[in-house]
Amino acid sequence: MAGTRKVIELFYDVACPYAWLGFEVLCRYRNVWNIDLQFRPAFLGGIMHGSGNKSPGLVPNKFLYMGKDLARLALYFGVPIVSPENPAEVKGSLSAMRFVTAVAESREGRQADVENVSRELWKRIWSGDEDITLPASLSEAGLKAGLPANEIEELLQLASSQKIKERLKSTTQKALDCGAFGFPHIICHVNGKEEMFFGSDRFELMAHCIGEQWLGPQPAKTSARM
């Protein structure tokens, strides 16, 4: 059975709240669908620049809509998204994504660590309106994610290395090469073919394409009602 599992690659950046929604849904479906979920931390700034896309903050009507949209989606998906008090002042995520990349690189095969660190960073910025740029902030996220305190300093040093900078750049370029223009960017590998999906509102179609069943944003609750 393991040999027939469908690989799904999730490209994301914690700067994007919509990527958090996609992240949580795919994590919930790991044991519902027959999939091998692979996290691909990348840099949203590089995607926007490389694809020629514009930030919602540069399109006034889109920016106004985004706040209302996220409030509704937070309830629907059961993800504690709370928009920062001053979204326009949110700083970049480059340091955070290098840190996540360092975790992925140093703890290969331990996807749970990448998952937990990513989630804690999303919670800092999109639930707590907290910083994700300073080493102390990254360290706190790592501790809450369950990383050993004696390893976090090593991870912070690794995150600033040329190796990790190049790895993050390479993953971002891979997403661009696969057609990315924003996050979440999802690649499903099915029967030797790649199916690309953008956003957190394509899961019903995704399920159809990979031969699985969509049970809503919280499949465990749906199953309990059946």
Side-chain angles (χ1 to χ4, degrees):
M1 187 68 177
T4 64
R5 290 173 69 82
K6 300 145 189 161
V7 174
I8 293 184
E9 296 182 272
L10 171 62
F11 294 83
Y12 67 93
D13 185 321
V14 297
C16 178
Y18 292 98
W20 190 10
L21 299 173
F23 172 91
E24 294 295 357
V25 169
L26 287 175
C27 285
R28 293 168 188 171
Y29 270 85
R30 263 179 314 207
N31 297 319
V32 177
W33 292 346
N34 184 33
I35 62 173
D36 174 13
L37 177 60
Q38 298 182 0
F39 300 122
R40 299 287 186 256
F43 180 46
L44 181 59
I47 294 295
M48 301 299 279
H49 176 76
S51 66
N53 199 356
K54 291 183 178 181
S55 166
L58 299 177
V59 184
N61 284 353
K62 190 175 183 179
F63 184 70
L64 289 173
Y65 175 78
M66 180 177 170
K68 298 176 182 178
D69 190 43
L70 287 175
R72 291 186 297 227
L73 289 170
L75 291 174
Y76 177 68
F77 283 99
V79 177
I81 293 176
V82 179
S83 293
E85 185 175 350
N86 295 303
E89 295 181 6
V90 173
K91 297 179 181 178
S93 60
L94 184 57
S95 296
M97 296 318 295
R98 284 174 176 169
F99 183 63
V100 176
T101 301
V103 174
E105 179 75 12
S106 67
R107 306 173 82 78
E108 189 174 356
R110 297 177 64 174
Q111 288 260 82
D113 290 329
V114 181
E115 176 183 340
N116 293 337
V117 169
S118 299
R119 182 176 290 115
E120 289 300 330
L121 287 167
W122 262 306
K123 286 165 66 176
R124 285 188 68 83
I125 187 172
W126 289 106
S127 284
D129 196 6
E130 297 178 295
D131 174 74
I132 60 165
T133 64
L134 300 175
S137 301
L138 301 178
S139 179
E140 184 175 341
L143 288 171
K144 288 185 176 181
L147 296 182
N150 63 343
E151 292 185 19
I152 290 178
E153 185 60 38
E154 295 178 7
L155 287 168
L156 288 171
Q157 293 179 6
L158 179 61
S160 65
S161 69
Q162 192 61 34
K163 175 183 178 181
I164 292 302
K165 291 177 181 179
E166 290 300 325
R167 175 58 64 91
L168 180 60
K169 184 177 180 180
S170 174
T171 305
T172 302
Q173 185 59 51
K174 180 181 178 181
L176 285 168
D177 292 342
C178 292
F181 51 87
F183 288 145
H185 179 76
I186 304 166
I187 301 293
C188 299
H189 300 262
V190 185
N191 298 325
K193 295 165 56 176
E194 293 184 357
E195 296 282 355
M196 187 270 278
F197 298 89
F198 164 73
S200 56
D201 57 352
R202 295 293 187 271
F203 291 110
E204 188 171 1
L205 178 59
M206 184 186 301
H208 172 75
C209 289
I210 68 174
E212 298 288 350
Q213 184 179 5
W214 172 244
L215 301 173
Q218 301 190 60
K221 292 185 178 181
T222 304
S223 299
R225 293 197 299 267
M226 292 181 175

Short mmCIF file of all heavy atoms in Angstrom, two decimals, residues 50 84 148 166 212:
data_model
loop_
_atom_site.label_atom_id
_atom_site.label_comp_id
_atom_site.label_asym_id
_atom_site.label_seq_id
_atom_site.Cartn_x
_atom_site.Cartn_y
_atom_site.Cartn_z
N GLY A 50 9.40 37.13 -8.62
CA GLY A 50 9.69 36.30 -9.79
C GLY A 50 8.51 36.12 -10.72
O GLY A 50 8.70 35.93 -11.93
N PRO A 84 -3.19 40.99 12.03
CA PRO A 84 -2.40 41.93 12.83
C PRO A 84 -3.07 43.30 12.88
O PRO A 84 -3.81 43.67 11.96
CB PRO A 84 -1.06 41.99 12.09
CG PRO A 84 -0.98 40.70 11.34
CD PRO A 84 -2.40 40.39 10.93
N PRO A 148 14.60 20.92 21.26
CA PRO A 148 15.48 21.01 22.43
C PRO A 148 16.18 22.37 22.46
O PRO A 148 16.68 22.85 21.44
CB PRO A 148 16.49 19.88 22.20
CG PRO A 148 15.80 18.92 21.29
CD PRO A 148 14.96 19.78 20.38
N GLU A 166 20.94 29.21 0.11
CA GLU A 166 20.84 28.64 -1.23
C GLU A 166 19.71 27.62 -1.31
O GLU A 166 19.03 27.52 -2.34
CB GLU A 166 22.16 27.99 -1.63
CG GLU A 166 23.29 28.98 -1.88
CD GLU A 166 22.97 29.97 -3.00
OE1 GLU A 166 22.30 29.56 -3.98
OE2 GLU A 166 23.38 31.14 -2.89
N GLU A 212 -9.65 10.91 -4.40
CA GLU A 212 -9.99 10.83 -2.99
C GLU A 212 -11.30 11.57 -2.74
O GLU A 212 -11.88 12.17 -3.65
CB GLU A 212 -8.87 11.42 -2.12
CG GLU A 212 -7.54 10.71 -2.24
CD GLU A 212 -7.51 9.34 -1.55
OE1 GLU A 212 -8.48 9.03 -0.83
OE2 GLU A 212 -6.54 8.60 -1.74
#
